[in-house]
Amino acid sequence: MSFADTKSPAPREGFIRVRNLRKAYQERRKARRDPEYPSPRYGEDILILDGVDIDIDEGEIVCILGPSGCGKSTLLRIIAGFDTSYTGEVSIAGRKVAGPSPHHIFVFQQSGLLDWMTVGGNVGLGLRRMKDKAAKREKVAEYLELVDLAGFEDHYPFQLSGGMQRRVELARAMAVSPEVLFMDEPFTGLDFLTHMRMREEVLNLHEYLRKTIVMVTHDIEDALIMGDRIVIFGNRPTRVKLARKLEFPRPRDVSSDPDLAELRRQVYLMMGVHYAL
Amino acid sequence: MDEGRKKAVAVPGLSGFTESLAGRVRALDPLEKLMDFLRRTPLSVVSFGAILLLWAAVVRLGVWSENVLPGPLAAARGMEELFRSGLLLKHTAASLFRVTAGFYLAVLLGVPAGIVLGYFALARRAVNPVIQFFRPISPLAWIPLAMLWFGIGDKPAIFLIFLASFFPLVVSTAAAVENIGKTYFQVAANFAFSRYEMLSLLIFPAILPSVMVSLRISLGIAWLVVVAAEMIAVKSGLGFLIIDSRNALRMDFVLDAMILIGAIGVILDAVMLRLARSREVLWGARGR
């Protein structure tokens, strides 16, 4: 198998650059949400992201943490090119992000598999322009094997469990060999063990393929175990509260590494959880 | 548990009760046999048999004369006569031809129109009220105009069938397209689908399950309408057979035509149901 580029140049610093990103939504609800608190009126702009700066190096796993509704998913969608109504500068590899691209694959929070296609069809989605059908089939099989789903080509998504569906989506994303992988809370809705296994799976894939992964999560453990860098958001309008490179050795274990445990305590505090952990 | 049962049997007052209970269970056996028989026989055979019996009984009671309500045997003889004379095949083929033509026309125009309306909100806002206006007008109300425009023959009937199945198809296809999950479109954008791929890889397969359902429903409507249309606008078809036989006072033929209409309707529905179980559609029933 030949997944990793052996002759790849040194990872580029500042691979993804976000500068002074501002994003506002227009209030679409006519009914007041809560009469106790002043809420925006219909048609008023609500500032979501207020001058966000982020730098991400090539090959890093970056975990974006923040309270719900703080705009982390919005940020991810903007960097991935799905949302272009913002001010500020967003670029990947020196090029301004103009729209979604097969080089930047987004893994959706709920399954993004095309339900009418088989697993093989889904994984081959990014390879559909390949002329050599046999080579394409082989590549699909390789990536399915990579996520432990060898032989599931002819199954339909509805025949798979939730965890298997996520793995198929990972395989589909990896198969196009993207520059960046975006993941929006990729482990939600999985049971505890499946969650742990998926986390391991993503880390193994990253170890192997060294793709830049930008992941939004609300799970502090996930961020501390997986992240080469964590970015923490505050409440709306959102600014970056903390951006930090994590240079802890892997595999990481919060309970045995006192520095990591201390960082976890700080992160919990930062996110408004005060009781002992 | 086991011990408790032994104890219960050992109590003298209770043993008689359990024995009688066992006797009663044995007495239920014939009923059980009947239930078993019912479970193994297609119940439709039983219910159709019951209707046949009821029909024969009403005829025997003599509420109406045999001329007004022929019995099952008379109907069967009539059916044989129709078959031998070739009229049965001729009228059935005529009706089926009109339904097929009108229905295909409606599918060919209605599904693409529905896709356009479902995809472009602007088109939907402009056209939807018009469709909602025409939809409640029964296709039969169009008969006078259809006859003036298209004359006598297949054309007005086909036009009416087209009208009857076109509007439901447009509406349900548009709704199906509108309801395609947003995530799918984001995946399509992410993997750089071309315009053609948007249709062939996303929209078309995504709406197929619900379009299959509405195809089935509108084919049923088309079959309803063809009979009605044939009573007025043409000189062949099962609807014409009914009117013509009534004028000739051949009520056995009227009943035969009704039986044929029902049977063909069931077959058409079964065919559509079979199509709805194909691989391409099945995910819709099991997925989201």
Side-chain angles (χ1 to χ4, degrees):
Chain A
M1 288 198 277
S2 58
F3 296 109
D5 306 357
T6 40
K7 285 171 286 181
S8 66
R12 285 167 273 185
E13 284 186 13
F15 185 62
I16 300 179
R17 267 167 60 98
V18 176
R19 282 287 172 280
N20 195 24
L21 175 65
R22 289 165 65 89
K23 162 81 188 172
Y25 276 120
Q26 217 175 40
E27 177 66 37
R28 286 286 174 210
R29 265 179 288 206
K30 286 195 175 154
R32 289 301 193 86
R33 271 177 275 195
D34 189 343
E36 289 270 328
Y37 298 96
S39 60
R41 288 170 189 285
Y42 179 76
E44 222 174 297
D45 279 349
I46 316 160
L47 198 57
I48 307 285
L49 301 171
D50 182 15
V52 171
D53 295 331
I54 296 175
D55 285 280
I56 294 168
D57 293 344
E58 192 175 10
E60 275 185 337
I61 299 185
V62 179
C63 293
I64 300 171
L65 275 168
S68 67
C70 74
K72 27 185 212 302
S73 291
T74 305
L75 172 77
L76 203 64
R77 293 169 47 78
I78 287 175
I79 306 178
F82 286 115
D83 189 338
T84 48
S85 60
Y86 59 86
T87 61
E89 182 204 320
V90 179
S91 66
I92 300 179
R95 286 184 303 272
K96 193 177 180 310
V97 172
S101 146
H103 301 297
H104 315 143
I105 296 293
F106 202 100
V107 176
F108 291 91
Q109 187 169 5
Q110 301 301 321
S111 169
L113 296 176
L114 302 184
D115 290 296
W116 46 88
M117 276 186 198
T118 58
V119 166
N122 268 291
V123 175
L125 207 57
L127 314 169
R128 63 192 189 286
R129 305 230 195 284
M130 276 175 77
K131 286 278 181 291
D132 187 348
K133 295 295 162 209
K136 181 187 158 187
R137 223 174 299 126
E138 203 172 299
K139 207 162 178 195
V140 167
E142 271 176 25
Y143 278 93
L144 274 178
E145 205 185 323
L146 207 61
V147 293
D148 264 336
L149 284 172
F152 277 90
E153 277 91 341
D154 291 332
H155 284 65
Y156 279 88
F158 72 80
Q159 295 168 312
L160 306 181
S161 71
M164 289 158 97
Q165 290 182 10
R166 306 285 165 102
R167 268 146 57 200
V168 173
E169 213 179 327
L170 265 184
R172 180 176 78 180
M174 293 297 188
V176 295
S177 202
E179 287 180 319
V180 189
L181 204 60
F182 295 99
M183 304 176 112
D184 188 5
E185 304 200 0
F187 309 136
T188 22
L190 300 178
D191 66 85
F192 181 74
L193 277 178
T194 315
H195 179 160
M196 293 296 122
R197 267 192 233 122
M198 276 296 290
R199 189 158 86 184
E200 215 174 297
E201 196 107 36
V202 172
L203 280 176
N204 288 339
L205 281 174
H206 180 254
E207 193 68 28
Y208 194 30
L209 303 172
R210 287 282 155 198
K211 300 291 175 200
T212 311
I213 297 178
V214 185
M215 186 176 118
V216 156
T217 177
H218 55 249
D219 190 316
I220 294 168
E221 304 286 319
D222 279 350
L224 293 178
I225 301 270
M226 298 177 73
D228 290 312
R229 189 187 291 272
I230 57 171
V231 177
I232 299 179
F233 279 179
N235 280 314
R236 270 198 331 226
T238 302
R239 291 161 167 282
V240 174
K241 247 180 162 178
L242 173 99
R244 196 188 142 166
K245 212 168 159 74
L246 304 186
E247 287 178 330
F248 301 96
R250 294 173 191 276
R252 292 176 185 165
D253 182 357
V254 178
S255 55
S256 65
D257 188 331
D259 292 340
L260 201 57
E262 171 57 23
L263 178 64
R264 180 174 75 154
R265 206 183 60 80
Q266 283 174 13
V267 171
Y268 268 99
L269 271 175
M270 203 173 280
M271 294 183 70
V273 183
H274 295 284
Y275 50 84
L277 294 155
Chain B
M1 177 81 186
D2 237 352
E3 246 174 61
R5 197 183 299 158
K6 265 181 218 153
K7 243 183 233 165
V9 172
V11 176
L14 273 181
S15 66
F17 172 72
T18 32
E19 256 166 47
S20 76
L21 200 69
R24 218 178 290 169
V25 168
R26 229 166 281 135
L28 282 175
D29 258 356
L31 186 65
E32 251 183 355
K33 267 185 195 159
L34 179 69
M35 290 305 286
D36 202 45
F37 170 75
L38 289 180
R39 227 172 280 134
R40 267 182 281 157
T41 348
L43 277 184
S44 52
V45 173
V46 178
S47 41
F48 273 113
I51 285 179
L52 218 61
L53 281 176
L54 191 72
W55 179 10
V58 171
V59 172
R60 182 59 67 87
L61 273 175
V63 183
W64 295 288
S65 83
E66 283 261 346
N67 293 332
V68 181
L69 178 64
L73 277 176
R77 277 194 297 272
M79 194 73 97
E80 198 197 347
E81 198 184 322
L82 279 176
F83 182 72
R84 280 180 194 280
S85 64
L87 281 176
L88 187 148
L89 210 65
K90 181 194 152 200
H91 289 309
T92 306
S95 290
L96 279 176
F97 165 71
R98 286 173 197 132
V99 164
T100 311
F103 183 66
Y104 275 143
L105 209 60
V107 173
L108 243 54
L109 294 175
V111 171
I115 290 177
V116 170
L117 291 190
Y119 195 72
F120 299 106
L122 208 66
R124 186 163 59 245
R125 272 176 47 212
V127 179
N128 202 34
V130 179
I131 291 177
Q132 296 304 338
F133 172 80
F134 277 106
R135 217 156 63 108
I137 301 176
S138 163
L140 304 183
W142 287 85
I143 287 179
L145 287 176
M147 285 176 71
L148 282 176
W149 293 346
F150 299 106
I152 300 281
D154 284 337
K155 278 187 210 155
I158 291 172
F159 174 68
L160 293 179
I161 291 152
F162 166 76
L163 277 181
S165 29
F166 178 75
F167 290 117
L169 268 176
V170 173
V171 170
S172 59
T173 308
V177 173
E178 215 184 327
N179 286 334
I180 298 175
K182 264 194 201 151
T183 311
Y184 295 137
F185 285 104
Q186 288 172 346
V187 171
N190 210 167
F191 285 90
F193 277 21
S194 66
R195 244 161 228 260
Y196 170 72
E197 284 169 336
M198 282 289 269
L199 266 178
S200 66
L201 296 182
L202 203 170
I203 294 176
F204 204 72
I207 62 172
L208 199 56
S210 51
V211 167
M212 281 308 300
V213 173
S214 59
L215 283 181
R216 196 179 146 208
I217 293 169
S218 49
L219 184 58
I221 299 174
W223 189 239
L224 273 177
V225 169
V226 72
V227 173
E230 283 166 348
M231 288 186 172
I232 297 153
V234 287
K235 293 269 173 264
S236 65
L238 293 171
F240 171 74
L241 178 61
I242 287 181
I243 288 298
D244 196 45
S245 308
R246 186 206 61 183
N247 293 340
L249 292 176
R250 287 297 301 263
M251 290 310 140
D252 52 341
F253 286 176
V254 171
L255 286 170
D256 291 336
M258 289 172 68
I259 291 168
L260 275 172
I261 290 165
I264 292 170
V266 168
I267 292 168
L268 289 178
D269 200 56
V271 170
M272 294 305 283
L273 201 62
R274 188 67 183 270
L275 286 176
R277 297 230 173 95
S278 64
R279 233 167 88 96
E280 286 70 28
V281 179
L282 206 64
W283 69 268
R286 303 287 301 277
R288 276 169 267 173

